[in-house]
Amino acid sequence: MTLTAEVKKITESKPFYAVAGAGDYAVEKLRELPEQIQKLQARRGELRETAKDIPVRAREYATTVQGKAEAVAKDFPNKAREYADTATARFNELYEELAVRGRRIISKVSGEAAMELEEVSKTADRTASRKPGRPRTTSKA
C-alpha cells in the first residue's frame, strides 16, 4: 500500500476524528482560561477571608465529628449485637419456613407413594387370585 493510501486510511478513521475532536476541545478550554483567571483574581479578597476561616471551621468540624465518632464507637458493640440477633432470628425463621415447606413436600410425596403402593398391592392381589391357565389381558394405550 502506498503512503498516500495509508494516510487516507488513517484520516478517514473514527479514532483520528476522536483525537481531532479532543484537540479542538482542549483549545476551546485554553481560550477560556484567561477569563477564568481574571474571575479568580477578582475574588482574591473573598478567597483570602474564606482561607482565614478554614482553620476555625476545620476545628469546629473536627470537634463535631469527633463527638459523633465517639458516640458511634461506644454504641457499636450494642448495634453489632442487635444486628447479629436480628440476623439470627431471621435465619431461624427462614429455617423454620423451609422445614415446614420440606415437611409438606415429603408428606405429599409420601402420600402419593403410599397410594401407588396400595394400587400395586391391589393389582398384585387380583393377579394372584386369577385361575391358572387363564390368559392375562392387558390394555394398550
Side-chain angles (χ1 to χ4, degrees):
M1 209 183 251
T2 65
L3 182 59
T4 308
E6 284 293 321
V7 170
K8 185 175 181 180
K9 182 179 173 184
I10 290 171
T11 58
E12 291 178 351
S13 70
K14 196 178 227 177
F16 173 78
Y17 290 118
V19 170
D24 181 58
Y25 182 76
V27 168
E28 178 185 322
K29 292 302 172 186
L30 285 172
R31 287 188 179 142
E32 294 174 2
L33 195 57
E35 183 182 338
Q36 295 295 326
I37 290 173
Q38 285 177 349
K39 286 181 182 179
L40 287 173
Q41 286 175 340
R43 293 184 56 200
R44 192 179 331 174
E46 180 186 329
L47 293 174
R48 280 191 189 130
E49 290 301 315
T50 302
K52 287 179 185 176
D53 291 343
I54 288 177
V56 174
R57 288 184 179 178
R59 270 188 234 105
E60 289 173 359
Y61 184 71
T63 304
T64 304
V65 170
Q66 183 178 359
K68 289 179 182 178
E70 288 173 0
V72 168
K74 286 179 185 176
D75 200 30
F76 185 76
N78 292 332
K79 288 287 186 187
R81 206 170 299 115
E82 286 176 22
Y83 290 135
D85 291 345
T86 301
T88 301
R90 180 60 189 128
F91 289 140
N92 285 332
E93 287 174 18
L94 183 60
Y95 177 75
E96 288 302 318
E97 289 172 13
L98 291 172
V100 167
R101 181 184 183 120
R103 282 187 197 107
R104 195 175 320 129
I105 296 296
I106 294 299
S107 176
K108 180 180 176 183
V109 171
S110 295
E112 289 173 1
M115 288 175 60
E116 287 178 20
L117 187 58
E118 187 177 328
E119 287 177 22
V120 168
S121 294
K122 286 179 184 177
T123 305
D125 286 343
R126 277 184 270 159
T127 306
S129 64
R130 279 199 196 129
K131 295 180 182 174
R134 194 172 182 185
R136 197 172 94 190
T137 59
T138 57
S139 61
K140 294 183 183 179

